[in-house]
């Protein structure tokens, strides 16, 4: 192995080692919380530097996805290296935020160890080149995250959410093990590299196509798509930095797994149609529910559900590069959204004092007439310059509808032609910048192979057009669809049904413990509820 690849492998393993050390130290010592956090900050910063070094070294040879020098079950890829930088950088920020957020709380050492455990498992998953490593790492992410979700053990909704997530995770683990068994018996190895080579040489046998379907269902369970989305909404009971970590850096892992195992999915039409159908349904329904929510954090949570549906939809359509860009953009946006939720609440209260503001009918109906041709024009230019290969026309229309809300104009915005022109120009500039950024990054050598499918693409286009039309109706004529608004406010009653099914399949109840209690902030007692 040449020197850059060897150094890249070593640097890729350092964040994993640093986070494992950050797990052990809080459990092995009784240092004060401030000292625990200082050690975590140092280890997280070192892990970030190592991740940046690994990504930089690997970028020197972007087509050289190779088995790690330290284990044949690991592989260093450019995509994994970039995501490792993203996740590790997110945790550096969340570590400092958590230290301030939890000041004075009990159990901070447990929180630090669990946070580091999530990161160590994520780094292992990003390096996985074997079914067993992937399954074990993903299970470890869930187990460590569960301790963070239940940090406030006196909140029943947090315990219920963790219980529902536990059931979904165990079902996903079983499906992944079944998919791994089918692939292993067919290929003769659990290695993803051997699986890709077998698919290139022999195609996808019926057993491998069934494995792809099982993989797709497992990802749906882990990515909180409808109808198993309820736990993602109810974990708002967890500390805010945990919500930011979950929505920005953990729930996205399903998209990475689909991208990583794309050679298997590419030749399984049934699995791709399943991803497109469930992703489109989740994006439409969650997008409607989000409009009915008042709480900032809950609205962000429903936004994540919709975005995960959109990302899974992109993977099913064969737009793996765009799914990767979506994953990165969502992580950055959602982490920022949760960390500034308090400011968003203040802005929402000021807006309520000024009275409700709805977009004007002209802006809602006219926005797509501007954004869709704009994106089509940019995409045509991009394809002509070979910067947007595998960018189908229907995806330009989808993006045009997605950017259209940028041009919506509130009914209490400054009146007059000058104000309208300024608002339109600002929206068009932003839509142009987003489309150009997507096309430019799409042209980078990520080492991914896109395979757009036109028939599912038309379904995705119809789904987004339906979502846009329903959102416009709910915003412009709130009294026009009362039944749809009531059902949307209730989340279409999907979570209630899944909760009943969960408690029927895996019964649990939470009761107050004996008189002993745990001290809460400011010395106040906190009752702890334990599952029975």
């Amino acid at each position: 192995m040449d020197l850059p690849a060897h150094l890249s492998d070593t640097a890729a393993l350092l964040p994993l080692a640093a986070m494992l050390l950050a797990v052990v130290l809080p459990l092995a010592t009784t240092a004060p919380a401030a000292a625990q956090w200082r050690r975590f900050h140092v280890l997280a910063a070192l892990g970030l530097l190592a991740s940046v070094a690994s990504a930089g070294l690997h970028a020197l040879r972007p087509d050289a996805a190779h088995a790690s020098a330290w284990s044949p079950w690991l592989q260093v890829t450019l995509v994994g290296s970039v995501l490792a930088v993203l996740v590790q950088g997110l945790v550096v920020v969340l570590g400092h935020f958590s230290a301030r957020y939890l000041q004075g709380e009990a159990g901070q050492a447990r929180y630090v160890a669990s946070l580091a455990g999530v990161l160590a498992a994520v780094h292992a998953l990003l390096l996985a080149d074997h079914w067993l490593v992937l399954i074990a790492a993903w299970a470890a992410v869930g187990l460590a995250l569960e301790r963070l979700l239940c940090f406030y053990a006196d909140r029943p909704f947090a315990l219920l959410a963790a219980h529902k997530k536990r059931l979904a995770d165990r079902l996903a683990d079983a499906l992944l093990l079944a998919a791994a068994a089918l692939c292993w018996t067919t290929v003769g190895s659990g290695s993803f590299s051997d699986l890709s080579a077998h698919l290139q040489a022999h195609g996808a046998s019926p057993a491998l196509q069934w494995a792809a379907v099982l993989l797709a269902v497992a990802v749906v369970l882990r990515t909180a798509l409808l109808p198993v989305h309820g736990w993602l909404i109810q974990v708002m009971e967890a500390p805010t930095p945990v919500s930011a970590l979950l929505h920005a850096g953990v729930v996205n892992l399903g998209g990475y797994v689909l991208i990583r195992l794309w050679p298997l999915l590419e030749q399984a039409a049934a699995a791709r149609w399943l991803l497109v159908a469930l992703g489109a349904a989740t994006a439409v329904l969650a997008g409607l529910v989000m409009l009915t929510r008042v709480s900032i954090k809950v609205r962000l949570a429903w936004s994540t559900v919709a975005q995960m549906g959109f990302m899974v939809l992109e993977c099913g359509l064969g737009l793996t590069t765009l799914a990767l860009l979506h994953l990165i953009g969502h992580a950055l946006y959602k982490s920022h959204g949760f960390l500034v939720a308090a400011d968003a609440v203040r802005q929402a209260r000021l807006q309520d004092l000024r009275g409700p503001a709805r977009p004007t009918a002209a802006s809602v109906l006219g926005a797509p007439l501007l954004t869709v041709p704009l994106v089509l024009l940019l995409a045509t230019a991009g394809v002509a310059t070979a910067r947007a290969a595998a960018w189908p026309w229907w995806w330009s229309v989808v993006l045009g509808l997605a950017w259209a809300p940028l041009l919506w104009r509130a009914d209490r915005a400054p009146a007059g032609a000058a104000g309208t022109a300024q608002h339109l120009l600002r929206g068009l500039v932003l839509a142009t910048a987003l489309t150009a950024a997507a096309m430019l990054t799409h042209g980078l050598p990520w080492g991914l192979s896109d395979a757009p499918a036109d028939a599912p693409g038309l379904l995705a286009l119809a789904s987004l057009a339906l979502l846009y039309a329903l959102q416009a109706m709910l915003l412009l004529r709130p009294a026009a669809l009362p039944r749809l608004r009531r059902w949307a406010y209730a989340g279409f009653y999907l979570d209630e049904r899944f909760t009943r099914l969960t408690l029927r399949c895996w019964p649990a109840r939470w009761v107050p413990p004996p008189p002993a209690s745990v001290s809460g902030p400011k010395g106040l007692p906190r009752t702890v509820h334990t599952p029975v």
Side-chain angles (χ1 to χ4, degrees):
M1 179 181 292
D2 54 62
L3 184 59
H6 190 82
L7 291 176
S8 177
D9 289 352
T10 304
L13 287 177
L14 287 179
L16 173 60
M19 291 299 98
L20 288 175
L21 183 59
V23 173
V24 174
L25 288 178
L27 302 178
T29 62
T30 57
Q36 301 276 15
W37 280 115
R38 282 196 296 270
R39 288 190 299 215
F40 178 83
H41 296 332
V42 171
L43 291 172
L46 291 176
L48 177 59
L49 292 176
S51 297
V52 172
S54 176
L57 290 170
H58 199 80
L60 299 176
R61 34 185 301 140
D63 297 327
H66 54 272
S68 171
W70 311 111
S71 172
W73 288 14
L74 304 178
Q75 187 182 70
V76 182
T77 64
L78 180 60
V79 172
S81 300
V82 171
L83 292 182
V85 174
L86 175 66
V87 173
Q88 193 66 28
L90 174 63
V91 169
V92 169
V93 176
L94 289 180
H96 289 279
F97 187 91
S98 298
R100 296 193 304 271
Y101 185 92
L102 298 174
Q103 190 171 9
E105 293 275 6
Q108 292 189 53
R110 172 169 51 90
Y111 181 98
V112 172
S114 300
L115 180 61
V118 171
L119 262 294
V122 169
H123 282 296
L125 188 148
L126 295 177
L127 289 170
D129 190 40
H130 197 281
W131 280 104
L132 295 182
V133 177
L134 173 71
I135 296 170
W138 216 352
V141 170
L143 293 174
L145 184 65
E146 183 179 327
R147 297 178 63 83
L148 294 175
L149 299 180
C150 298
F151 181 76
Y152 296 127
D154 58 339
R155 299 183 176 181
F157 272 115
L159 299 177
L160 176 62
H163 186 66
K164 291 194 292 186
K165 185 180 187 304
R166 190 181 306 120
L167 176 62
D169 286 354
R170 298 295 78 79
L171 289 174
D173 291 339
L175 293 172
L176 287 173
L177 286 171
L182 289 173
C183 291
W184 207 319
T185 55
T186 303
V187 178
S189 167
S191 169
F192 297 156
S193 299
D194 293 342
L195 175 62
S196 298
H198 179 89
L199 288 166
Q200 289 179 357
H202 306 287
S205 64
L208 292 180
Q209 294 193 22
W210 274 109
V213 172
L214 294 175
L215 171 66
V217 177
V219 169
V220 167
L221 290 171
R222 277 277 171 73
T223 316
L225 267 61
L226 272 62
V228 295
H229 63 286
W231 64 266
L232 188 62
I233 308 300
Q234 290 164 347
V235 295
M236 294 300 100
E237 296 282 344
T240 295
V242 175
S243 298
L245 173 66
L246 173 62
H247 288 257
V250 173
V251 76
N252 289 344
L253 292 175
Y256 170 75
V257 171
L258 292 177
I259 295 170
R260 184 70 180 84
L261 290 169
W262 172 245
L264 175 63
L265 294 167
E266 183 178 6
Q267 301 187 32
R272 293 180 63 174
W273 271 105
L274 180 64
L275 292 173
V276 170
L278 292 177
T282 298
V284 171
L285 296 179
L288 294 176
V289 175
M290 184 179 63
L291 292 180
T292 66
R293 288 301 187 258
V294 177
S295 169
I296 299 298
K297 287 181 67 176
V298 173
R299 192 182 302 168
L300 285 170
W302 277 103
S303 170
T304 296
V305 175
Q307 293 296 325
M308 291 302 99
F310 202 70
M311 183 180 66
V312 168
L313 169 69
E314 291 169 327
C315 292
L317 293 174
L319 304 173
T320 54
T321 304
L322 289 169
L324 173 65
L325 301 179
H326 190 175
L327 189 158
I328 295 172
H330 177 265
L332 295 173
Y333 163 74
K334 201 51 63 75
S335 59
H336 176 266
F338 273 100
L339 296 182
V340 300
D343 292 334
V345 170
R346 285 192 289 270
Q347 293 297 327
R349 288 177 177 173
L350 291 175
Q351 183 177 2
D352 290 340
L353 291 175
R354 293 193 294 265
R358 296 187 180 94
T360 61
S363 65
V364 172
L365 298 177
L369 301 179
L370 295 175
T371 55
V372 171
L374 172 67
V375 179
L376 281 170
L377 179 62
L378 292 174
T380 302
V383 171
T385 57
R387 286 189 175 276
W391 186 300
W393 68 267
W394 42 262
W395 190 249
S396 298
V397 182
V398 168
L399 280 187
L401 291 173
W403 301 153
L406 297 173
L407 274 65
W408 288 358
R409 179 175 170 81
D411 54 11
R412 65 177 180 218
T420 301
Q422 183 179 8
H423 179 79
L424 287 177
L425 180 59
R426 186 184 303 115
L428 289 173
V429 168
L430 185 55
T432 302
L434 290 172
T435 306
M439 295 177 64
L440 289 174
T441 51
H442 185 270
L444 296 176
W446 294 103
L448 303 175
S449 60
D450 294 309
D454 288 337
L458 296 178
L459 173 62
L461 175 57
S463 300
L464 197 65
L466 174 64
L467 174 60
Y468 190 89
L470 292 175
Q471 285 182 329
M473 182 65 71
L474 290 176
L475 289 170
L476 299 177
R477 300 286 299 276
L481 300 172
R483 180 173 296 182
L484 176 61
R485 181 175 288 276
R486 288 197 300 270
W487 277 68
Y489 183 78
F492 298 95
Y493 301 99
L494 294 172
D495 181 51
E496 286 75 10
R497 292 182 173 87
F498 181 72
T499 301
R500 295 191 188 101
L501 179 63
T502 299
L503 296 177
R504 187 177 297 120
C505 296
W506 194 346
R509 59 190 176 92
W510 292 272
V511 297
S517 61
V518 179
S519 296
K522 312 298 183 184
L524 297 177
R526 173 182 294 140
T527 303
V528 179
H529 292 67
T530 54
V532 177

